[in-house]
Amino acid sequence: MFWFGSRMLSTNMGIPLQVSIFVISDPVGQKLGVGGSTLHVLTELLKNYSNELYTKNILIIHSGGSSQRLPSYSVIGKIFTPVACKGLQCDSSVPQMLKLKFAMYLPFCQLLEPGVFVTCADDIETYCLDLDALDLEALKTADVVALAHPSDVKMGEGHGVYVFEGREVETASFVNAVKDCSEVLQKPSESAMREKGAVFMRDNNGTLKEKVWSDSVFWFSGSVCKKLVTWMVRMQFASDHRVGYLCPLFTLLGHQDENCKTFRLQELPF
């Protein structure tokens, strides 16, 4: 049995019951990145589930790579790395990263409609689900939901950065909220973040510090999944090498940059 705190999440050696698990590799000789690999996985699942795919709750964990920082797990994969976590129990064994992922995301996924939740194998996201503070109706009707975390400007240069409307001062007591994203920047320079209005001031015990909202995991709805998979299948028949262009999926989202509208419509079905 599998617990996190007092909540029992699953049985059978820590894996939720009645859950199908697939291990899918990238096509031989191609490195697709997170975006391309996500769509490749979904097209493979389409072969098993047909249109039923778009009514399911799907968790995709990208766990490839060379494991240079953890060479001892390069064979079995980083997702099976033992993680000693207080309050997380799985029978008498040490929990693995896979089971920690289930514990982290299941409470959040319960707030969302059927769709696809995407994460990586070697990161840990912490967040507080204050249901009284969240706009649950916005989550239920959203097409794309992503977790954004306040980070230093320097860290933003190596990650995706979300731009929101307004540049209000964030307080130290800020826990969580649902906000409309106007633009997504992919590994932007400091000057680009400032130009786009991504930098804001956050109150940290009376001291204001510059922060940006960096990316981590994300979810998209079954309807978006269907559009992406349909487009992906069509592009595979047309030209296989176009698949590799899909890495920065989120840079095509947001409503602020109208100059990219034509490009977005041509490249992805949004």
Side-chain angles (χ1 to χ4, degrees), residues 21-266:
I21 296 180
F22 296 82
V23 178
I24 301 173
S25 63
D26 286 349
V28 177
Q30 294 189 26
K31 294 183 178 180
L32 304 183
V34 171
S37 293
T38 296
L39 298 191
H40 173 64
V41 166
L42 292 175
T43 55
E44 290 297 309
L45 293 179
L46 182 66
K47 299 174 184 178
N48 288 272
Y49 295 110
S50 188
N51 286 333
E52 188 182 353
L53 173 69
Y54 312 122
T55 65
K56 290 186 173 295
N57 295 295
I58 301 170
L59 172 63
I60 296 179
I61 305 177
H62 293 291
S63 54
S66 302
S67 297
Q68 297 181 21
R69 292 184 296 272
L70 293 170
S72 57
Y73 296 97
S74 60
V75 176
I76 64 173
K78 292 174 286 188
I79 192 63
F80 298 110
T81 304
V83 180
C85 179
K86 183 179 180 180
L88 182 63
Q89 304 172 19
C90 180
D91 299 321
S92 59
S93 61
V94 177
Q96 297 174 338
M97 192 67 176
L98 175 61
K99 296 155 191 176
L100 179 58
K101 288 285 183 179
F102 285 135
M104 287 190 296
Y105 300 143
L106 284 178
F108 182 62
C109 290
Q110 290 174 348
L111 305 179
L112 303 170
E113 294 297 305
V116 181
F117 196 95
V118 182
T119 183
C120 293
D122 55 359
D123 57 357
I124 297 175
E125 292 79 28
T126 59
Y127 55 91
C128 177
L129 283 181
D130 184 354
L131 299 183
D132 294 330
L134 285 176
D135 185 347
L136 299 181
E137 184 60 28
L139 290 178
K140 288 286 186 181
T141 58
D143 285 319
V144 178
V145 176
L147 292 185
H149 312 270
S151 305
D152 295 334
V153 175
K154 188 67 177 177
M155 182 175 291
E157 294 179 345
H159 294 77
V161 173
Y162 299 120
V163 182
F164 300 107
E165 297 290 348
R167 298 181 176 88
E168 71 280 5
V169 174
E170 302 287 349
T171 64
S173 60
F174 175 82
V175 179
N176 54 22
V178 179
K179 296 187 177 182
D180 186 25
C181 180
S182 59
E183 192 171 359
V184 184
L185 311 177
Q186 182 64 26
K187 296 184 178 180
S189 63
E190 180 177 342
S191 60
M193 286 185 279
R194 295 187 183 281
E195 179 184 352
K196 295 290 187 178
V199 180
F200 65 92
M201 304 299 295
R202 185 177 178 87
D203 186 355
N204 185 12
N205 296 325
T207 302
L208 294 180
K209 293 187 177 181
E210 289 187 324
K211 298 288 184 179
V212 297
W213 290 107
S214 63
D215 67 351
S216 61
V217 300
F218 62 91
W219 167 94
F220 51 87
S221 67
S223 62
V224 171
C225 176
K226 184 175 183 178
K227 292 179 180 180
L228 288 172
V229 170
T230 301
W231 178 86
M232 180 70 167
V233 171
R234 186 174 70 247
M235 292 306 299
Q236 282 181 323
F237 282 113
S239 177
D240 286 341
H241 73 275
R242 292 290 298 275
V243 176
Y245 294 167
L246 296 174
C247 298
L249 277 176
F250 270 20
T251 58
L252 303 178
L253 300 179
H255 56 74
Q256 191 175 80
D257 195 351
E258 293 297 328
N259 293 329
C260 291
K261 186 175 182 179
T262 301
F263 168 76
R264 293 177 186 179
L265 292 177
Q266 290 175 347

